[in-house]
Each structure stands twice: as C-alpha cells, then as structure tokens.
Amino acid sequence: MQHADILHWLRQHDPERLRPLWRRADRVRRTHVGDAVHLRGLLEISNHCTRRCAYCGLRAPNRSLPRYRMTADEILDACHTAVAFGYGTVVMQAGEDDGIGTPWLADLIREIKAATPLAVTLSLGERPDADLAAWRHAGADRYLLRFETSDRALYERIHPPRPGTRSDRIAILHTLARLGYEAGGGVMIGIPGQTYHTLADDILLFRTLDLDMIGVGPYIPHPHTPLAPQADTPHPDQVPHSSALMACKVLALTRILCPLTNLPSTTAVATVDGAQGHELGLQRGANVIMPNITPIQYSALYQIYPSKASSRETAEQTRATVRRRILALGRTIATGRGDSLNRLRRLAAAPT
Ligand code: 5AD
C-alpha cells in the first residue's frame, strides 16, 4: 500500500465504503497473529513528569494535579495481581520522572523477573541510553515510546525538549532495538496541526522502523494544557480529534502494513467510544488489550487526558469487562507472554 492509497482510506468517511478496509485488516490480523488476544496489565507507577508536552495532563506546569509515585512493594503486589489475573506482561508506565532512579528500577525489574513469569514492558519516556541499557540488562523485555507525529515541525511545537537537548524519539527507538528490546512506537490522531498527509507518513514510518508494537489512539484535548483550545481556523486537511473512527482507520492500515506487529486496542479509543471502542479495535486489526491494574487511588490521578476509560473501575472490574468483550467476539484470551512475532521474524532474518 502506497501513500496515496493510505490517504484515500484516511479520507474515506462513508461507513459502507470503509467495510472492505475493516475486512482486510481483520483478515490480515487473523492470518498473521491469530485470534488470541494478549492481555498486558498496565501499571501507572508515577504521574510525576519533568516535561512540558503541550497535549498531556501530566505536564510539569499542571499544578492542579496531585502527584504520586508507587513504592516497590506496591508495584510488586500489583505484579502478583497481574499473574493471578492471567496476564502475561506488566507494563510499567509513568511520566518522565527523574525520581524513578535507574538502579532502583533495575533492582525492581530483577525482583519481578525472579518472583513472576511476567514479561516486563517499560513506558517511561525519553531516558538516557545508559538507563535503557541498565534496565535491559536487569531483564526488561520491551519498551514503549510513541513518536507522536512524524512531522518534525509539529513535534517540536507540542513537545519542548529538556533544556539543552534535542528530543529525538526515532533515534531512541533505534537504540531500543539495538539493545535487544521489543520496541514500540505510535502516534496520537487528531493533534491540532496534524494533517491527513502527515498521518499517512506516520503509518509508512511504522513500517520503515519495523516496530514490534504500535499504539495509536485519538488525541483527546485536556483542559489544563495549552493545546486544548482548538485553533479557530483549522487547516483544511486537519485530522479530527477524539474520533474512534479515525483511530480505527489508522489501526486497520497499520495492521495491513505491519502484519506481525502487536497492536493494542487502546484505552483512548475505549474512552471516546465507551460502548464499543475496545471491540471495534479488536475487529479492525488489534490483537492486544492493556487492562489497567493500577490501584484505583492512583489511576484516578493518572490523567493524561480527561475521563480516561477505566479510571473509575477497579482492576477486577476491568478484567471482567475485558474478558467478556473478547469472548463475546468469538476471540480467545492468550496465555503466556505474547512476545512479538515481528521481532522473532527479524531475528530469524538477521545475519548470524
Ligand atoms: N490525548 C490522547 N493521548 C494522549 N497521550 C498523552 N496525552 C494525550 C492526550 N491528551 C498519549 C501520548 C503518550 C501516551 C502515553 O499517551 O501518545 O505517548
């Protein structure tokens, strides 16, 4: 599929004409990664953040948000919950928090790996290469870092770097792959200033980067961020925000271009379409769901965007809902870690 074909689908809004896209994405998903849905327990270990991203509610200048950081014991307890729930992976996510010390987390990863069979995924923002290496050495398996948009000028507008540095998430994704992580990227859909044209570039970049995991979700304006007020005269090619349909189109196209990659039906889609967001994702390319296992007193404070799906639910309730939805679609729940078939293919193809 070329840029023009991707653009054609992204601009298609007629539900009848979109049917062939959904069918094709679902077929590719079934053929390449099967019917089993992998469950990853999402643990939001800290909402501290040193960055000032224009879109995100965790940004440092948002003084209205009470901040928390989970203790090692709380994190280990949640990992045991993940195991009891049958989840094969724990995803530890946080703002870019310098309070998450490198040796502290390395020790914790070792403890989790010794005490449980869980795969460990990290999603902790742009950390120095030495941190990424230390955590990989300690046993971390995967790392998620969305590049948010491939439009460099837009990226710089919404994503100020740490003082004195240049933020280059694509370079970090290369580093992650070199360190032997399964590397995950992704974008938000409908960022003010994002056009259909650049969104098509984003999808092509997924394939060029040969990512093992790709997360895509609608941009949802957060009132305590500078990006929230929408531009009065949007660009004529502006992608709409908070749209489950747009997110599904990107997901379906991503599945077609990256058949072996693990693709979650994301929380952001379930937030904008509470009734059927998760199901639509699973039927349009996704093979992963990341149910939240964060203790409720903390998850209520992990406000990347407003009214995040499941932020008022306990981990048990989320588990029950997610299981019911998967089984109702005639899909199965995977057991085991659910490692990326894309990475296995890459390793098999690599010269020894
Ligand atoms: N709307 C939707 N997604 C968001 N993220 C951050 N802020 C928002 C928002 N307002 C996404 C980013 C980030 C991921 C952890 O959450 O893509 O990489």
Side-chain angles (χ1 to χ4, degrees):
M1 212 186 269
Q2 309 292 316
H3 194 276
D5 309 306
I6 297 174
L7 210 44
H8 159 83
W9 286 116
L10 291 177
R11 290 206 169 110
Q12 181 57 259
H13 299 294
D14 179 339
E16 280 307 312
R17 296 199 172 164
L18 279 166
R19 275 178 204 276
L21 177 66
W22 309 143
R23 269 202 302 275
R24 183 168 165 197
D26 200 42
R27 196 172 58 237
V28 173
R29 188 269 309 153
R30 186 175 314 115
T31 308
H32 290 87
V33 293
D35 276 336
V37 178
H38 301 283
L39 300 180
R40 326 291 201 196
L42 177 63
L43 188 58
E44 296 152 335
I45 64 174
S46 158
N47 71 349
H48 289 267
C49 191
T50 57
R51 304 296 292 268
R52 318 169 66 87
C53 302
Y55 47 87
C56 181
L58 303 191
R59 66 198 308 272
N62 181 9
R63 309 242 182 271
S64 65
L65 184 68
R67 306 285 172 160
Y68 72 87
R69 187 178 297 120
M70 290 177 70
T71 65
D73 283 343
E74 287 172 325
I75 294 172
L76 279 167
D77 278 352
C79 289
H80 288 298
T81 303
V83 175
F85 283 2
Y87 303 164
T89 299
V90 63
V91 181
M92 290 194 269
Q93 191 178 84
E96 220 166 282
D97 178 8
D98 293 333
I100 296 178
T102 311
W104 176 84
L105 184 61
D107 287 347
L108 183 58
I109 293 166
R110 283 193 191 90
E111 269 195 78
I112 296 170
K113 301 296 288 192
T116 75
L118 293 169
V120 171
T121 303
L122 304 177
S123 177
L124 304 172
E126 297 162 43
R127 300 281 303 216
D129 290 0
D131 294 10
L132 304 175
W135 296 332
R136 173 75 189 135
H137 191 65
D141 301 279
R142 310 178 186 141
Y143 202 101
L144 302 175
L145 184 71
R146 291 185 179 179
F147 58 81
E148 315 297 1
T149 172
S150 59
D151 176 340
R152 185 69 211 179
L154 176 60
Y155 182 76
E156 285 178 3
R157 256 195 328 273
I158 64 172
H159 195 92
R162 281 184 184 241
T165 66
R166 179 177 190 273
S167 163
D168 189 345
R169 291 190 167 190
I170 307 288
I172 300 175
L173 285 168
H174 287 302
T175 301
L176 290 167
R178 192 170 34 78
L179 289 170
Y181 281 98
E182 282 183 29
V187 297
M188 288 181 290
I189 300 156
I191 308 165
Q194 184 185 41
T195 64
Y196 286 93
H197 197 87
T198 60
L199 194 49
D201 289 343
D202 296 346
I203 296 170
L204 285 170
L205 184 59
F206 292 155
R207 187 169 59 183
T208 309
L209 291 174
D210 196 15
L211 295 170
D212 302 316
M213 304 170 286
I214 299 168
V216 297
Y219 162 65
I220 306 172
H222 188 301
H224 296 138
T225 61
L227 202 61
Q230 294 304 297
D232 16 329
T233 39
H235 191 284
D237 201 34
Q238 168 69 45
V239 176
H241 67 80
S242 308
S243 162
L245 183 68
M246 277 310 306
C248 283
K249 284 191 259 181
V250 176
L251 178 65
L253 292 161
T254 302
R255 169 58 70 203
I256 292 165
L257 271 98
C258 307
L260 289 171
T261 295
N262 281 332
L263 299 180
S265 182
T266 54
T267 311
V269 179
T271 299
V272 292
D273 184 347
Q276 46 173 1
H278 265 153
E279 283 91 334
L280 288 179
L282 288 176
Q283 291 172 296
R284 295 170 175 180
N287 70 322
V288 170
I289 288 193
M290 298 165 62
N292 206 307
I293 55 167
T294 311
I296 199 157
Q297 72 273 25
Y298 297 135
S299 66
L301 298 176
Y302 199 79
Q303 291 166 11
I304 296 179
Y305 45 80
S307 38
K308 214 170 71 210
S310 87
S311 63
R312 282 175 300 274
E313 260 179 14
T314 63
E316 285 83 357
Q317 287 164 334
T318 305
R319 173 181 190 241
T321 318
V322 162
R323 288 178 67 90
R324 182 166 38 74
R325 289 179 168 171
I326 294 170
L327 299 175
L329 293 175
R331 301 274 284 275
T332 56
I333 294 167
T335 53
R337 295 166 30 124
D339 289 324
S340 167
L341 299 178
N342 192 62
R343 178 162 176 272
L344 294 179
R345 178 200 48 79
R346 194 172 54 245
L347 295 179
T352 45

mmCIF file of all heavy atoms in Angstrom, residues 25-67:
data_model
loop_
_atom_site.group_PDB
_atom_site.id
_atom_site.type_symbol
_atom_site.label_atom_id
_atom_site.label_comp_id
_atom_site.label_asym_id
_atom_site.label_seq_id
_atom_site.Cartn_x
_atom_site.Cartn_y
_atom_site.Cartn_z
ATOM 1 N N ALA A 25 -8.233 -5.714 7.123
ATOM 2 C CA ALA A 25 -7.400 -5.630 8.341
ATOM 3 C C ALA A 25 -7.680 -6.830 9.248
ATOM 4 O O ALA A 25 -6.756 -7.430 9.813
ATOM 5 C CB ALA A 25 -7.673 -4.323 9.082
ATOM 6 N N ASP A 26 -8.943 -7.203 9.362
ATOM 7 C CA ASP A 26 -9.297 -8.316 10.241
ATOM 8 C C ASP A 26 -8.727 -9.632 9.709
ATOM 9 O O ASP A 26 -8.259 -10.481 10.469
ATOM 10 C CB ASP A 26 -10.832 -8.384 10.372
ATOM 11 C CG ASP A 26 -11.261 -9.168 11.606
ATOM 12 O OD1 ASP A 26 -10.630 -8.986 12.675
ATOM 13 O OD2 ASP A 26 -12.212 -9.963 11.510
ATOM 14 N N ARG A 27 -8.755 -9.766 8.359
ATOM 15 C CA ARG A 27 -8.214 -10.983 7.747
ATOM 16 C C ARG A 27 -6.704 -11.064 7.961
ATOM 17 O O ARG A 27 -6.169 -12.103 8.339
ATOM 18 C CB ARG A 27 -8.563 -10.978 6.258
ATOM 19 C CG ARG A 27 -8.409 -12.328 5.588
ATOM 20 C CD ARG A 27 -8.960 -12.316 4.169
ATOM 21 N NE ARG A 27 -8.304 -11.298 3.349
ATOM 22 C CZ ARG A 27 -8.930 -10.314 2.703
ATOM 23 N NH1 ARG A 27 -10.243 -10.216 2.767
ATOM 24 N NH2 ARG A 27 -8.255 -9.445 1.986
ATOM 25 N N VAL A 28 -6.015 -9.956 7.745
ATOM 26 C CA VAL A 28 -4.553 -9.942 7.929
ATOM 27 C C VAL A 28 -4.217 -10.260 9.387
ATOM 28 O O VAL A 28 -3.304 -11.039 9.682
ATOM 29 C CB VAL A 28 -3.963 -8.566 7.509
ATOM 30 C CG1 VAL A 28 -2.486 -8.482 7.866
ATOM 31 C CG2 VAL A 28 -4.179 -8.326 6.026
ATOM 32 N N ARG A 29 -4.974 -9.668 10.296
ATOM 33 C CA ARG A 29 -4.758 -9.935 11.730
ATOM 34 C C ARG A 29 -4.900 -11.429 12.030
ATOM 35 O O ARG A 29 -4.036 -12.047 12.646
ATOM 36 C CB ARG A 29 -5.760 -9.095 12.545
ATOM 37 C CG ARG A 29 -5.555 -9.103 14.051
ATOM 38 C CD ARG A 29 -6.328 -10.190 14.764
ATOM 39 N NE ARG A 29 -7.738 -10.208 14.399
ATOM 40 C CZ ARG A 29 -8.496 -11.298 14.443
ATOM 41 N NH1 ARG A 29 -8.013 -12.456 14.824
ATOM 42 N NH2 ARG A 29 -9.771 -11.256 14.075
ATOM 43 N N ARG A 30 -5.990 -12.036 11.533
ATOM 44 C CA ARG A 30 -6.230 -13.448 11.847
ATOM 45 C C ARG A 30 -5.132 -14.321 11.251
ATOM 46 O O ARG A 30 -4.612 -15.225 11.895
ATOM 47 C CB ARG A 30 -7.601 -13.885 11.319
ATOM 48 C CG ARG A 30 -7.961 -15.307 11.737
ATOM 49 C CD ARG A 30 -9.382 -15.715 11.322
ATOM 50 N NE ARG A 30 -10.364 -14.701 11.620
ATOM 51 C CZ ARG A 30 -11.076 -14.030 10.696
ATOM 52 N NH1 ARG A 30 -10.923 -14.294 9.411
ATOM 53 N NH2 ARG A 30 -11.940 -13.115 11.058
ATOM 54 N N THR A 31 -4.757 -14.048 9.997
ATOM 55 C CA THR A 31 -3.745 -14.864 9.319
ATOM 56 C C THR A 31 -2.381 -14.770 10.009
ATOM 57 O O THR A 31 -1.694 -15.779 10.157
ATOM 58 C CB THR A 31 -3.582 -14.381 7.852
ATOM 59 O OG1 THR A 31 -4.861 -14.348 7.256
ATOM 60 C CG2 THR A 31 -2.645 -15.279 7.071
ATOM 61 N N HIS A 32 -2.006 -13.577 10.443
ATOM 62 C CA HIS A 32 -0.620 -13.400 10.904
ATOM 63 C C HIS A 32 -0.432 -13.514 12.409
ATOM 64 O O HIS A 32 0.606 -13.981 12.868
ATOM 65 C CB HIS A 32 -0.058 -12.069 10.398
ATOM 66 C CG HIS A 32 0.182 -12.081 8.925
ATOM 67 N ND1 HIS A 32 -0.789 -11.757 8.006
ATOM 68 C CD2 HIS A 32 1.278 -12.422 8.205
ATOM 69 C CE1 HIS A 32 -0.288 -11.895 6.798
ATOM 70 N NE2 HIS A 32 0.955 -12.300 6.882
ATOM 71 N N VAL A 33 -1.395 -13.049 13.202
ATOM 72 C CA VAL A 33 -1.212 -13.134 14.653
ATOM 73 C C VAL A 33 -2.325 -13.914 15.350
ATOM 74 O O VAL A 33 -2.268 -14.112 16.568
ATOM 75 C CB VAL A 33 -1.030 -11.734 15.312
ATOM 76 C CG1 VAL A 33 0.280 -11.102 14.874
ATOM 77 C CG2 VAL A 33 -2.204 -10.812 15.010
ATOM 78 N N GLY A 34 -3.328 -14.361 14.588
ATOM 79 C CA GLY A 34 -4.322 -15.277 15.143
ATOM 80 C C GLY A 34 -5.424 -14.602 15.937
ATOM 81 O O GLY A 34 -5.509 -13.376 16.016
ATOM 82 N N ASP A 35 -6.272 -15.466 16.521
ATOM 83 C CA ASP A 35 -7.475 -14.973 17.205
ATOM 84 C C ASP A 35 -7.243 -14.638 18.674
ATOM 85 O O ASP A 35 -8.066 -13.979 19.306
ATOM 86 C CB ASP A 35 -8.583 -16.045 17.130
ATOM 87 C CG ASP A 35 -9.349 -15.954 15.811
ATOM 88 O OD1 ASP A 35 -9.354 -14.865 15.209
ATOM 89 O OD2 ASP A 35 -9.914 -16.980 15.393
ATOM 90 N N ALA A 36 -6.130 -15.143 19.231
ATOM 91 C CA ALA A 36 -5.919 -14.929 20.668
ATOM 92 C C ALA A 36 -5.565 -13.468 20.946
ATOM 93 O O ALA A 36 -4.811 -12.847 20.207
ATOM 94 C CB ALA A 36 -4.802 -15.845 21.165
ATOM 95 N N VAL A 37 -6.152 -12.947 22.013
ATOM 96 C CA VAL A 37 -5.889 -11.556 22.422
ATOM 97 C C VAL A 37 -4.949 -11.590 23.627
ATOM 98 O O VAL A 37 -5.227 -12.252 24.627
ATOM 99 C CB VAL A 37 -7.204 -10.835 22.784
ATOM 100 C CG1 VAL A 37 -6.926 -9.405 23.244
ATOM 101 C CG2 VAL A 37 -8.163 -10.845 21.592
ATOM 102 N N HIS A 38 -3.826 -10.890 23.511
ATOM 103 C CA HIS A 38 -2.865 -10.832 24.618
ATOM 104 C C HIS A 38 -3.255 -9.728 25.582
ATOM 105 O O HIS A 38 -3.573 -8.618 25.164
ATOM 106 C CB HIS A 38 -1.458 -10.561 24.076
ATOM 107 C CG HIS A 38 -1.007 -11.611 23.113
ATOM 108 N ND1 HIS A 38 -0.573 -12.849 23.530
ATOM 109 C CD2 HIS A 38 -0.963 -11.621 21.763
ATOM 110 C CE1 HIS A 38 -0.277 -13.577 22.462
ATOM 111 N NE2 HIS A 38 -0.505 -12.856 21.375
ATOM 112 N N LEU A 39 -3.232 -10.055 26.877
ATOM 113 C CA LEU A 39 -3.584 -9.058 27.892
ATOM 114 C C LEU A 39 -2.315 -8.601 28.612
ATOM 115 O O LEU A 39 -1.523 -9.419 29.072
ATOM 116 C CB LEU A 39 -4.580 -9.664 28.889
ATOM 117 C CG LEU A 39 -5.900 -10.145 28.263
ATOM 118 C CD1 LEU A 39 -6.818 -10.722 29.347
ATOM 119 C CD2 LEU A 39 -6.600 -9.014 27.515
ATOM 120 N N ARG A 40 -2.129 -7.295 28.662
ATOM 121 C CA ARG A 40 -0.968 -6.712 29.348
ATOM 122 C C ARG A 40 -1.502 -5.884 30.508
ATOM 123 O O ARG A 40 -2.325 -4.978 30.289
ATOM 124 C CB ARG A 40 -0.193 -5.762 28.434
ATOM 125 C CG ARG A 40 -0.131 -6.113 26.953
ATOM 126 C CD ARG A 40 0.696 -7.315 26.693
ATOM 127 N NE ARG A 40 1.173 -7.403 25.313
ATOM 128 C CZ ARG A 40 1.649 -8.513 24.776
ATOM 129 N NH1 ARG A 40 1.661 -9.640 25.469
ATOM 130 N NH2 ARG A 40 2.105 -8.526 23.550
ATOM 131 N N GLY A 41 -1.051 -6.144 31.718
ATOM 132 C CA GLY A 41 -1.509 -5.352 32.860
ATOM 133 C C GLY A 41 -0.800 -4.006 32.878
ATOM 134 O O GLY A 41 0.428 -3.934 32.984
ATOM 135 N N LEU A 42 -1.575 -2.931 32.739
ATOM 136 C CA LEU A 42 -0.982 -1.588 32.696
ATOM 137 C C LEU A 42 -0.891 -1.016 34.101
ATOM 138 O O LEU A 42 -1.901 -0.861 34.791
ATOM 139 C CB LEU A 42 -1.837 -0.671 31.813
ATOM 140 C CG LEU A 42 -1.375 0.790 31.747
ATOM 141 C CD1 LEU A 42 0.007 0.912 31.122
ATOM 142 C CD2 LEU A 42 -2.379 1.633 30.964
ATOM 143 N N LEU A 43 0.330 -0.726 34.531
ATOM 144 C CA LEU A 43 0.570 -0.227 35.885
ATOM 145 C C LEU A 43 1.190 1.170 35.794
ATOM 146 O O LEU A 43 2.323 1.322 35.314
ATOM 147 C CB LEU A 43 1.503 -1.207 36.613
ATOM 148 C CG LEU A 43 1.716 -0.963 38.093
ATOM 149 C CD1 LEU A 43 0.393 -0.984 38.856
ATOM 150 C CD2 LEU A 43 2.660 -2.026 38.656
ATOM 151 N N GLU A 44 0.411 2.146 36.230
ATOM 152 C CA GLU A 44 0.846 3.545 36.125
ATOM 153 C C GLU A 44 1.613 3.904 37.389
ATOM 154 O O GLU A 44 1.046 4.308 38.397
ATOM 155 C CB GLU A 44 -0.402 4.419 35.927
ATOM 156 C CG GLU A 44 -1.083 4.074 34.607
ATOM 157 C CD GLU A 44 -2.589 4.331 34.575
ATOM 158 O OE1 GLU A 44 -3.237 4.336 35.651
ATOM 159 O OE2 GLU A 44 -3.135 4.514 33.478
ATOM 160 N N ILE A 45 2.946 3.724 37.342
ATOM 161 C CA ILE A 45 3.733 3.721 38.592
ATOM 162 C C ILE A 45 4.039 5.115 39.125
ATOM 163 O O ILE A 45 4.383 5.256 40.291
ATOM 164 C CB ILE A 45 5.041 2.882 38.455
ATOM 165 C CG1 ILE A 45 5.994 3.482 37.414
ATOM 166 C CG2 ILE A 45 4.722 1.427 38.138
ATOM 167 C CD1 ILE A 45 7.361 2.762 37.371
ATOM 168 N N SER A 46 3.918 6.145 38.305
ATOM 169 C CA SER A 46 4.147 7.511 38.801
ATOM 170 C C SER A 46 3.522 8.502 37.824
ATOM 171 O O SER A 46 3.586 8.297 36.612
ATOM 172 C CB SER A 46 5.655 7.776 38.911
ATOM 173 O OG SER A 46 5.917 9.166 38.886
ATOM 174 N N ASN A 47 2.935 9.581 38.380
ATOM 175 C CA ASN A 47 2.418 10.624 37.481
ATOM 176 C C ASN A 47 3.257 11.897 37.565
ATOM 177 O O ASN A 47 2.830 12.948 37.107
ATOM 178 C CB ASN A 47 0.926 10.898 37.730
ATOM 179 C CG ASN A 47 0.670 11.616 39.044
ATOM 180 O OD1 ASN A 47 1.566 11.741 39.873
ATOM 181 N ND2 ASN A 47 -0.559 12.083 39.247
ATOM 182 N N HIS A 48 4.453 11.785 38.194
ATOM 183 C CA HIS A 48 5.375 12.923 38.144
ATOM 184 C C HIS A 48 5.922 13.043 36.730
ATOM 185 O O HIS A 48 6.151 12.030 36.067
ATOM 186 C CB HIS A 48 6.555 12.695 39.094
ATOM 187 C CG HIS A 48 6.186 12.787 40.544
ATOM 188 N ND1 HIS A 48 6.294 13.948 41.262
ATOM 189 C CD2 HIS A 48 5.698 11.855 41.392
ATOM 190 C CE1 HIS A 48 5.894 13.727 42.507
ATOM 191 N NE2 HIS A 48 5.525 12.466 42.614
ATOM 192 N N CYS A 49 6.149 14.276 36.285
ATOM 193 C CA CYS A 49 6.743 14.441 34.959
ATOM 194 C C CYS A 49 7.513 15.751 34.901
ATOM 195 O O CYS A 49 7.020 16.787 35.358
ATOM 196 C CB CYS A 49 5.674 14.421 33.866
ATOM 197 S SG CYS A 49 6.412 14.297 32.220
ATOM 198 N N THR A 50 8.721 15.681 34.343
ATOM 199 C CA THR A 50 9.547 16.895 34.238
ATOM 200 C C THR A 50 9.275 17.654 32.946
ATOM 201 O O THR A 50 9.777 18.743 32.756
ATOM 202 C CB THR A 50 11.048 16.546 34.238
ATOM 203 O OG1 THR A 50 11.270 15.638 33.160
ATOM 204 C CG2 THR A 50 11.473 15.913 35.530
ATOM 205 N N ARG A 51 8.507 17.044 32.033
ATOM 206 C CA ARG A 51 8.356 17.637 30.701
ATOM 207 C C ARG A 51 7.151 18.561 30.622
ATOM 208 O O ARG A 51 6.353 18.632 31.549
ATOM 209 C CB ARG A 51 8.241 16.499 29.656
ATOM 210 C CG ARG A 51 9.411 15.517 29.695
ATOM 211 C CD ARG A 51 10.727 16.166 29.325
ATOM 212 N NE ARG A 51 10.771 16.564 27.945
ATOM 213 C CZ ARG A 51 11.227 15.825 26.935
ATOM 214 N NH1 ARG A 51 11.694 14.614 27.181
ATOM 215 N NH2 ARG A 51 11.249 16.292 25.709
ATOM 216 N N ARG A 52 7.066 19.271 29.500
ATOM 217 C CA ARG A 52 6.019 20.287 29.325
ATOM 218 C C ARG A 52 5.256 20.037 28.024
ATOM 219 O O ARG A 52 4.906 20.987 27.311
ATOM 220 C CB ARG A 52 6.652 21.685 29.263
ATOM 221 C CG ARG A 52 7.773 21.903 30.285
ATOM 222 C CD ARG A 52 8.531 23.187 30.018
ATOM 223 N NE ARG A 52 7.673 24.336 30.217
ATOM 224 C CZ ARG A 52 7.482 24.937 31.381
ATOM 225 N NH1 ARG A 52 8.092 24.501 32.465
ATOM 226 N NH2 ARG A 52 6.689 25.972 31.456
ATOM 227 N N CYS A 53 4.983 18.787 27.691
ATOM 228 C CA CYS A 53 4.305 18.467 26.435
ATOM 229 C C CYS A 53 2.958 19.186 26.412
ATOM 230 O O CYS A 53 2.204 19.150 27.387
ATOM 231 C CB CYS A 53 4.125 16.959 26.294
ATOM 232 S SG CYS A 53 5.709 16.087 26.353
ATOM 233 N N ALA A 54 2.669 19.800 25.285
ATOM 234 C CA ALA A 54 1.512 20.699 25.192
ATOM 235 C C ALA A 54 0.186 19.959 25.267
ATOM 236 O O ALA A 54 -0.854 20.570 25.498
ATOM 237 C CB ALA A 54 1.597 21.497 23.886
ATOM 238 N N TYR A 55 0.208 18.642 25.071
ATOM 239 C CA TYR A 55 -1.032 17.857 24.968
ATOM 240 C C TYR A 55 -1.364 17.083 26.231
ATOM 241 O O TYR A 55 -2.498 16.634 26.398
ATOM 242 C CB TYR A 55 -0.917 16.858 23.800
ATOM 243 C CG TYR A 55 0.395 16.082 23.787
ATOM 244 C CD1 TYR A 55 0.523 14.906 24.500
ATOM 245 C CD2 TYR A 55 1.501 16.553 23.089
ATOM 246 C CE1 TYR A 55 1.708 14.204 24.515
ATOM 247 C CE2 TYR A 55 2.701 15.855 23.083
ATOM 248 C CZ TYR A 55 2.806 14.690 23.802
ATOM 249 O OH TYR A 55 3.996 14.021 23.818
ATOM 250 N N CYS A 56 -0.403 16.908 27.137
ATOM 251 C CA CYS A 56 -0.550 15.879 28.168
ATOM 252 C C CYS A 56 -0.848 16.470 29.531
ATOM 253 O O CYS A 56 -0.164 17.394 29.997
ATOM 254 C CB CYS A 56 0.735 15.049 28.225
ATOM 255 S SG CYS A 56 0.643 13.734 29.459
ATOM 256 N N GLY A 57 -1.841 15.911 30.204
ATOM 257 C CA GLY A 57 -2.263 16.389 31.512
ATOM 258 C C GLY A 57 -1.230 16.179 32.609
ATOM 259 O O GLY A 57 -1.320 16.789 33.676
ATOM 260 N N LEU A 58 -0.228 15.300 32.369
ATOM 261 C CA LEU A 58 0.796 15.075 33.389
ATOM 262 C C LEU A 58 1.906 16.128 33.330
ATOM 263 O O LEU A 58 2.796 16.126 34.169
ATOM 264 C CB LEU A 58 1.430 13.680 33.235
ATOM 265 C CG LEU A 58 0.536 12.452 33.279
ATOM 266 C CD1 LEU A 58 1.397 11.187 33.389
ATOM 267 C CD2 LEU A 58 -0.450 12.509 34.421
ATOM 268 N N ARG A 59 1.856 17.029 32.360
ATOM 269 C CA ARG A 59 2.935 18.012 32.168
ATOM 270 C C ARG A 59 3.266 18.742 33.471
ATOM 271 O O ARG A 59 2.366 19.047 34.272
ATOM 272 C CB ARG A 59 2.568 18.988 31.045
ATOM 273 C CG ARG A 59 1.390 19.891 31.358
ATOM 274 C CD ARG A 59 0.808 20.493 30.083
ATOM 275 N NE ARG A 59 1.821 21.135 29.246
ATOM 276 C CZ ARG A 59 2.206 22.405 29.370
ATOM 277 N NH1 ARG A 59 1.652 23.183 30.290
ATOM 278 N NH2 ARG A 59 3.127 22.891 28.565
ATOM 279 N N ALA A 60 4.555 19.020 33.662
ATOM 280 C CA ALA A 60 5.016 19.609 34.927
ATOM 281 C C ALA A 60 4.246 20.868 35.328
ATOM 282 O O ALA A 60 3.908 21.029 36.501
ATOM 283 C CB ALA A 60 6.517 19.891 34.830
ATOM 284 N N PRO A 61 3.948 21.788 34.382
ATOM 285 C CA PRO A 61 3.277 23.015 34.831
ATOM 286 C C PRO A 61 1.833 22.801 35.299
ATOM 287 O O PRO A 61 1.243 23.744 35.823
ATOM 288 C CB PRO A 61 3.283 23.902 33.568
ATOM 289 C CG PRO A 61 4.288 23.294 32.648
ATOM 290 C CD PRO A 61 4.312 21.838 32.961
ATOM 291 N N ASN A 62 1.253 21.636 35.145
ATOM 292 C CA ASN A 62 -0.124 21.403 35.614
ATOM 293 C C ASN A 62 -0.125 21.203 37.133
ATOM 294 O O ASN A 62 -0.051 20.083 37.640
ATOM 295 C CB ASN A 62 -0.743 20.189 34.905
ATOM 296 C CG ASN A 62 -2.177 19.942 35.365
ATOM 297 O OD1 ASN A 62 -2.764 20.767 36.077
ATOM 298 N ND2 ASN A 62 -2.734 18.813 34.964
ATOM 299 N N ARG A 63 -0.244 22.328 37.841
ATOM 300 C CA ARG A 63 -0.136 22.285 39.302
ATOM 301 C C ARG A 63 -1.426 21.783 39.948
ATOM 302 O O ARG A 63 -1.474 21.535 41.140
ATOM 303 C CB ARG A 63 0.187 23.667 39.858
ATOM 304 C CG ARG A 63 1.365 24.318 39.197
ATOM 305 C CD ARG A 63 2.516 24.587 40.158
ATOM 306 N NE ARG A 63 3.607 25.261 39.445
ATOM 307 C CZ ARG A 63 4.587 24.611 38.823
ATOM 308 N NH1 ARG A 63 4.643 23.295 38.830
ATOM 309 N NH2 ARG A 63 5.536 25.270 38.177
ATOM 310 N N SER A 64 -2.495 21.630 39.162
ATOM 311 C CA SER A 64 -3.761 21.208 39.768
ATOM 312 C C SER A 64 -3.811 19.696 39.992
ATOM 313 O O SER A 64 -4.758 19.190 40.590
ATOM 314 C CB SER A 64 -4.936 21.645 38.881
ATOM 315 O OG SER A 64 -4.887 20.966 37.650
ATOM 316 N N LEU A 65 -2.794 18.989 39.516
ATOM 317 C CA LEU A 65 -2.820 17.520 39.631
ATOM 318 C C LEU A 65 -1.973 17.055 40.820
ATOM 319 O O LEU A 65 -0.765 17.279 40.853
ATOM 320 C CB LEU A 65 -2.264 16.904 38.329
ATOM 321 C CG LEU A 65 -2.292 15.386 38.235
ATOM 322 C CD1 LEU A 65 -3.720 14.873 38.146
ATOM 323 C CD2 LEU A 65 -1.495 14.919 37.015
ATOM 324 N N PRO A 66 -2.606 16.368 41.815
ATOM 325 C CA PRO A 66 -1.790 15.797 42.899
ATOM 326 C C PRO A 66 -0.893 14.690 42.342
ATOM 327 O O PRO A 66 -1.327 13.912 41.487
ATOM 328 C CB PRO A 66 -2.829 15.209 43.865
ATOM 329 C CG PRO A 66 -4.155 15.769 43.445
ATOM 330 C CD PRO A 66 -4.033 16.103 41.982
ATOM 331 N N ARG A 67 0.342 14.654 42.788
ATOM 332 C CA ARG A 67 1.317 13.699 42.212
ATOM 333 C C ARG A 67 1.545 12.519 43.150
ATOM 334 O O ARG A 67 1.474 12.654 44.387
ATOM 335 C CB ARG A 67 2.638 14.418 41.939
ATOM 336 C CG ARG A 67 2.500 15.665 41.072
ATOM 337 C CD ARG A 67 2.275 15.325 39.605
ATOM 338 N NE ARG A 67 1.952 16.528 38.827
ATOM 339 C CZ ARG A 67 2.082 16.607 37.506
ATOM 340 N NH1 ARG A 67 2.498 15.562 36.809
ATOM 341 N NH2 ARG A 67 1.755 17.715 36.873
#
